[in-house]
Amino acid sequence: MTETKASEAHEAISARAQRMLDAVPTIVCVLDIKAARLTAHNAALARAIGCTGEELSARGLEALSSRIHPDDLEGLAAHAARLASARDLEVIEGELRARGHEEDEEDERVFAARAEVFSRGEDGSAREVIVSAEEVTERRRGERRLRSSEALLATVCERAPVLIYAKDRGGAYLVASRSLEQLVGVAPGGMLGKTDRDFFPPEVASIYKDVDDHVRQGGAPFDAEETAPHAEGEKTFYTVKFPLEGEGIPAGSVAGISVDITRVKAAERDREAARDQLIAAQQDTIRELVTPLLPIAEGVLVMPLIGHFDGPRASRIIETLLHGVERHAARVAILDITGVKTVDAHVAEMLVQAARAAGLLGAKVVLTGIQPAIARAMIELGVDLRGVITAGTLHAGIAYAAPAGLARGGEQQRRSPRD
């Protein structure tokens, strides 16, 4: 083969090898560490540092080093020194940052590089090294975001005033906020890998497990009020639990957030108690208005009755009458039924019972305001009014109760007063 043909063949092989290198997406280059020059490179390297292949070939290491982050140049020199004494097949790995034409942080790229001896000189020392590099910019950014997210989650779990937690299928804690650890009285991290049975009474742990299982089976969030024992007394929490799924999360995991509502529940109970007291006071006022008892003279009471009577109201009437008789030392109690339109057996029985009960306390009962229709109804019902003094009007009843009327006691009791 002539020298010309040999040269052409060599150039063809070199061109073919260069095309193969350019087709490789990973950066590949050869550095002469003794002559400090770039002896070969592929297109991926030119693209990575933001220049043309011709510019990179012309300027060599100058173009390459101008794109490397200044803080990484010192480390690059240290790696070169290690390579100078490296054994065959020994790989030196590291990372370096590079920028394109626009020297701003957003344009910065991170590369994971590996280098090994490519050729040696006559004395056996390393002469050329081959370097391959892969861009890991997005991977490193993702790792930074993940670390930031993990740090944020750790801070939330450390500072949150609510309970935050996650458990695996067996109930072992995967995450526990500091507030939860303080609730059960353990050091940071002391709940991880353990279950509710390690911190709560069996009956309480069983309830928590039933709720967790309900969430797993239903596959949907579930909210409820839960209680937890505490040194200061039982605490009440509003809890939301939900299935936890995702890459790296054990199947069947459940997470939860619990808010301490102990004070809220206590305030609710106080409000309910105050409301009940208010309702009771209102009912007492209504009863007094519906069943008024009026002292009109010394020893004389008047109770005007109106409307419909049921069992509870009849009992209140008798109770109010007896209390008034006792309180005022009444000699006469006038029951005025002018406002009662109808009298049935129930009303008649109530009137008779009121009269007899008042009589046991030493008071006479005067029944006033009896209308003709009511008088007929009482006769038809066979109401026994013995011991009850009757009068047609309230005025006549008051006249009877006057001291002059009481002086004629024997005669007055045998007949009813009239207007």
Side-chain angles (χ1 to χ4, degrees):
M1 180 180 294
T2 63
E3 183 177 343
T4 301
K5 288 184 178 180
S7 176
E8 291 176 349
H10 178 72
E11 289 178 359
I13 292 173
S14 297
R16 181 180 178 84
Q18 187 63 49
R19 288 198 302 272
M20 292 174 63
L21 283 175
D22 289 340
V24 175
T26 303
I27 293 172
V28 179
C29 65
V30 178
L31 300 174
D32 187 329
I33 57 176
K34 289 188 176 296
R37 65 188 182 90
L38 186 66
T39 58
H41 67 83
N42 66 350
L45 177 59
R47 291 193 300 270
I49 63 175
C51 67
T52 65
E54 292 75 11
E55 181 183 1
L56 183 57
S57 297
R59 298 177 57 194
L61 284 179
E62 180 188 355
L64 183 59
S65 60
S66 67
R67 298 290 183 252
I68 296 176
H69 195 287
D71 294 344
D72 292 346
L73 289 175
E74 183 177 348
L76 191 61
H79 288 318
R82 290 179 57 192
L83 283 166
S85 59
R87 300 184 301 272
D88 289 344
L89 303 179
E90 182 180 353
V91 177
I92 306 298
E93 296 182 328
E95 284 191 1
L96 56 86
R97 291 165 292 172
R99 295 192 176 105
H101 286 299
E102 299 295 333
E103 295 189 0
D104 57 62
E105 187 175 348
E106 292 299 322
D107 193 45
E108 185 177 276
R109 299 288 183 266
V110 182
F111 295 88
R114 49 181 290 143
E116 58 183 292
V117 176
F118 184 64
S119 67
R120 296 183 180 275
E122 293 181 357
D123 60 356
S125 63
R127 181 175 184 80
E128 293 180 310
V129 295
I130 184 169
V131 179
S132 62
E134 177 185 6
E135 185 175 353
V136 293
T137 306
E138 291 305 319
R139 184 190 308 170
R140 294 297 179 259
R141 287 176 180 172
E143 290 172 352
R144 286 197 299 271
R145 287 193 295 267
L146 179 60
R147 288 193 296 271
S148 176
S149 178
E150 290 174 344
L152 178 61
L153 176 60
T155 302
V156 170
C157 288
E158 174 69 24
R159 302 291 181 86
V162 300
L163 310 184
I164 303 173
Y165 47 90
K167 310 173 192 175
D168 63 17
R169 183 183 296 276
Y173 279 93
L174 302 170
V175 173
S177 63
R178 185 63 191 132
S179 55
L180 178 56
E181 294 171 339
Q182 291 172 338
L183 177 70
V184 301
V186 299
M191 297 187 73
L192 302 183
K194 298 180 180 180
T195 70
D196 290 322
R197 294 187 298 273
D198 296 308
F199 307 105
F200 300 104
E203 62 276 11
V204 175
S206 178
I207 293 174
Y208 294 165
K209 181 180 182 303
D210 289 343
V211 175
D212 292 346
D213 290 342
H214 177 79
V215 174
R216 292 188 184 96
Q217 295 168 6
F222 177 83
D223 64 291
E225 288 187 7
E226 295 182 327
T227 58
H230 189 265
E232 299 176 358
E234 187 175 78
K235 288 184 173 291
T236 303
F237 293 88
Y238 174 72
T239 296
V240 178
K241 293 185 176 180
F242 49 93
L244 197 61
E245 300 175 351
E247 184 178 356
I249 298 175
S253 296
V254 171
I257 299 175
S258 300
V259 181
D260 188 349
I261 58 172
T262 306
R263 293 183 179 179
V264 175
K265 299 299 289 185
E268 286 181 358
R269 289 192 294 270
D270 292 342
R271 285 195 296 270
E272 290 175 357
R275 183 193 62 192
D276 292 343
Q277 291 177 355
L278 177 60
I279 291 174
Q282 291 173 339
Q283 290 176 341
D284 289 341
T285 302
I286 292 172
R287 282 194 293 268
E288 291 176 0
L289 294 174
V290 173
T291 314
L293 188 66
L294 310 174
I296 62 172
E298 184 177 354
V300 180
L301 302 175
V302 174
M303 178 180 283
L305 303 177
I306 59 174
H308 173 72
F309 295 87
D310 55 13
R313 188 181 176 198
S315 297
R316 287 197 299 271
I317 289 173
I318 296 174
E319 179 182 353
T320 302
L321 176 63
L322 297 181
H323 178 73
V325 169
E326 181 180 13
R327 178 182 177 186
H328 296 282
R331 303 186 308 274
V332 177
I334 302 173
L335 297 181
D336 182 56
I337 61 172
T338 304
V340 179
K341 302 305 180 184
T342 60
V343 172
D344 56 15
H346 180 73
V347 175
E349 181 182 1
M350 181 273 296
L351 294 172
V352 173
Q353 288 180 350
R356 290 175 180 171
L360 293 176
L361 295 179
K364 297 181 181 299
V365 173
V366 179
L367 188 61
T368 66
I370 301 176
Q371 306 300 318
I374 294 178
R376 285 194 300 270
M378 286 185 171
I379 293 173
E380 293 173 358
L381 292 171
V383 177
D384 184 5
L385 293 178
R386 284 178 298 177
V388 178
I389 301 168
T390 61
T393 65
L394 177 59
H395 183 272
I398 294 174
Y400 167 79
L406 289 177
R408 302 190 299 272
E411 183 181 356
Q412 294 282 359
Q413 291 182 33
R414 289 193 295 272
R415 60 185 181 85
S416 298
R418 294 290 183 267
D419 284 333

